[in-house]
Amino acid sequence: MAENIVVGAGLAGLVAAINLRRDGREVVVLDKESRVGGSPVFHPSAGGTPVDFEALERYIDLDLSPGKVGPAVAPIKRCGAVVYGQVVPVDMAAISGHLFERGPRSTSIDSYLYGLALEEGVRFEFGRAVWSNDDIAKMPPDTIIATGLNFEGFDATRTPYLTSFHFLARQTIPASDDNHVMIYHGRYTRDYAYTSSMNGMQMAHVFQRDPIGGDTLKAFEEQMYRTEGIEFDSWEHFTFPVPAASRRNPRLFAGDKILAGTLAGCMESYMFFGMHGALVSGKIAALAVRDKSVALAEFELATSSFAPAYFLKKLTRPVPHALHKRQLKLALPMLSTSPRAGRVMMVAMPGWKNCER
Ligand SMILES: Cc1cc2nc3c(=O)[nH]c(=O)nc-3n(C[C@H](O)[C@H](O)[C@H](O)COP(=O)(O)OP(=O)(O)OC[C@H]3O[C@@H](n4cnc5c(N)ncnc54)[C@H](O)[C@@H]3O)c2cc1C
């Protein structure tokens, strides 16, 4: 039997590969890096997201219980938001907020899924970059492309995107179970910034959908130091594409190829939560190899909130900082106290509705 090709050994690609193997197919995963864990510029990292594990594991058919994933995933213990200098407590329990370790370390979700994929008999070829539309065109039908937040994948599949601009820093800290996230809103970004820590790693990330300068970083650094006393020695500056709403996005198919993960538009477009959608979309991509119309219906449900969330973000972006501050001061306490407000955020996550059924 010919091997099914999956390009990208990230969240979506690994879930797709495991599910294809379980369908009795031969699978090879190609990744441009020399090992699992994605780009060394992006990871290791500690990313936060709402996630209902029981529902998610039922849907993607993988055991994500703490006894299995170990320290790769953990509930957020301490969370708050800094709204233009003022700290507002946020209760993540209302939205089941969790942290995922991403990257090549043995304690990451990538390593956990990679281990599962090897057990299932998936074959991997690392150091295999797919750069262009020509490369993709030469691949057999039903190849799954899941290259994540990289320009080449978006360009090669002609998927519309916006460029986002980032500063990221990380450092090791004494290991503890004080998993934390602090979200920052202020004049330094039109989107947001955060600090997070888990598994003896601490990081800070500030970004927006407009170019971002050194002054911005300095203002965020000062706020972070005043609030949490955290400092970093050095910062990485980079850009990456984020899906833009259009006729060609979100989409499951690009010609006779199948898209998965962020490249398929499975990223929530308000806060940029992408991990939940990527995991769900891996399952849908594998299903698309077996049954295109069932997979398409699942995909449409998974991404039904993408366009509304995208346009809401577009609408609210130009609001002056003073109004933004007032909105946040109203909205954030609601998120902590009202299950309804939490639910609005959760159903905006790609794949959440699929898992809920
Ligand atoms: C710094 C950072 C912080 C983030 N924080 C959060 C967060 O807090 N919460 C959240 O929900 N989401 C967060 N995200 C988004 C989330 O990580 C992504 O949406 C999610 O990982 C997408 O999954 P994926 O499977 O599509 O791609 P990835 O998991 O990124 O996997 C893509 C894989 O494809 C490989 N690849 C790339 N290009 C090629 C190529 N040309 N040829 C072959 N292989 C290739 C990569 O090496 C990688 O292994 C963050 C992203 C970044 C970069």
Side-chain angles (χ1 to χ4, degrees):
M1 188 195 285
E3 278 182 322
N4 244 106
I5 300 177
V6 176
V7 186
L11 299 182
L14 290 168
V15 171
I18 294 167
N19 277 283
L20 285 171
R21 271 302 289 156
R22 289 179 176 174
D23 272 354
R25 293 169 196 280
E26 297 298 317
V27 185
V28 60
V29 179
L30 314 180
D31 196 285
K32 75 170 178 183
E33 300 297 339
S34 57
R35 39 93 194 115
V36 80
S39 158
V41 177
F42 298 166
H43 308 302
S45 65
T49 188
V51 67
D52 172 345
F53 274 103
E54 282 177 20
L56 179 66
E57 60 189 349
R58 239 187 344 264
Y59 189 78
I60 63 177
D61 213 359
L62 295 180
D63 190 348
L64 298 174
S65 59
K68 284 285 181 185
V69 290
V73 183
I76 297 172
K77 279 205 168 159
R78 201 162 48 83
C79 181
V82 180
V83 179
Y84 293 83
Q86 194 183 324
V87 179
V88 181
V90 178
D91 180 5
M92 289 306 251
I95 55 164
S96 189
H98 280 70
L99 276 166
F100 284 61
E101 179 176 334
R102 298 295 318 276
R105 304 195 321 173
S106 62
T107 44
S108 72
I109 184 79
D110 307 61
S111 297
Y112 172 67
L113 293 173
Y114 176 57
L116 288 185
L118 289 175
E119 274 172 29
E120 293 286 346
V122 174
R123 200 166 71 74
F124 286 85
E125 289 185 17
F126 289 104
R128 286 287 307 273
V130 171
W131 295 112
S132 68
N133 191 263
D134 270 3
D135 290 342
I136 291 176
K138 282 184 207 134
M139 293 185 164
D142 290 345
T143 293
I144 295 174
I145 317 285
T147 48
L149 297 158
N150 288 277
F151 289 103
E152 59 264 28
F154 279 79
D155 287 334
T157 54
R158 305 200 168 108
T159 301
Y161 60 82
L162 294 176
T163 300
S164 59
F165 299 80
H166 304 252
F167 277 105
L168 183 131
R170 61 200 139 205
Q171 59 197 5
T172 50
I173 53 169
S176 82
D177 62 357
D178 181 31
N179 305 314
H180 110 284
V181 174
M182 183 69 84
I183 300 155
Y184 288 77
H185 294 275
R187 289 184 181 279
Y188 34 82
T189 165
R190 280 269 164 206
D191 282 283
Y192 69 104
Y194 62 90
T195 57
S196 60
S197 59
M198 75 184 298
N199 298 342
M201 170 182 39
Q202 184 171 59
M203 67 178 262
H205 186 184
V206 55
F207 58 90
Q208 65 177 12
R209 285 164 244 214
D210 287 311
I212 196 165
D215 301 356
T216 302
L217 177 61
K218 196 161 181 299
F220 169 59
E221 278 184 296
E222 284 170 5
Q223 181 64 65
M224 181 172 63
Y225 187 71
R226 270 200 302 277
T227 313
E228 299 185 87
I230 299 176
E231 285 179 293
F232 292 90
D233 288 341
S234 62
W235 293 79
E236 305 252 18
H237 180 43
F238 54 83
T239 58
F240 61 65
V242 290
S246 90
R247 247 183 336 106
R248 278 184 295 132
N249 201 17
R251 68 187 165 146
L252 177 58
F253 300 109
D256 60 5
K257 308 300 183 297
I258 298 164
L259 303 180
T262 300
L263 188 58
C266 289
M267 178 182 235
E268 178 275 323
S269 47
Y270 207 85
M271 298 284 283
F272 284 161
F273 292 131
M275 295 187 295
H276 185 278
L279 292 164
V280 168
S281 124
K283 165 80 180 196
I284 297 174
L287 181 60
V289 174
R290 185 162 20 108
D291 187 330
K292 300 213 163 13
S293 59
V294 174
L296 190 57
E298 288 296 298
F299 183 79
E300 282 171 358
L301 182 64
T303 53
S304 54
S305 61
F306 181 88
Y310 181 86
F311 287 111
L312 178 67
K313 182 71 198 172
K314 228 177 159 178
L315 213 68
T316 52
R317 264 187 98 226
V319 303
H321 280 289
L323 186 56
H324 189 216
K325 181 173 158 183
R326 291 240 303 270
Q327 286 171 341
L328 287 168
K329 281 195 170 163
L330 269 174
L332 284 169
M334 262 172 21
L335 193 67
S336 299
T337 51
S338 151
R340 263 211 186 147
R343 201 179 136 66
V344 170
M345 184 163 185
M346 291 189 287
V347 294
M349 303 269 294
W352 198 277
K353 291 180 190 158
N354 307 57
C355 295
E356 254 190 346
R357 283 174 308 171

